[in-house]
Amino acid sequence: MTPVKLFLDTDFGPDCDDVGALCLIHSLCDAGEAELLGVTLCTSGAYGLPAISAVNRWYGREVPLGAYREPGFLTESSYTKSLAEA
């Protein structure tokens, strides 16, 4: 089976569903069913990209990351700072 090539566009921060989605994708990659090509972040939170990077490192992957650059869009988060500092 050829792995499905995936990009994840996420709003890491407002709620935790995207953490689950990213972990699921990494599990599919571990099983040889997917290849994660990159992750984009559509929020302005300061800890979004570092949190995504922390999850990627947990799974032993470094993938390209992209982010929305305008301030003020979905900046609140209850978990991204904790993940980023892990």
Side-chain angles (χ1 to χ4, degrees), residues 25-61:
I25 289 170
H26 279 295
S27 294
L28 290 169
C29 291
D30 290 345
E33 296 181 28
E35 178 184 355
L36 182 58
L37 301 177
V39 180
T40 58
L41 176 67
C42 67
T43 64
S44 303
Y47 296 102
L49 282 180
I52 292 167
S53 184
V55 173
N56 290 343
R57 282 193 315 275
W58 173 261
Y59 284 94
R61 287 187 183 82

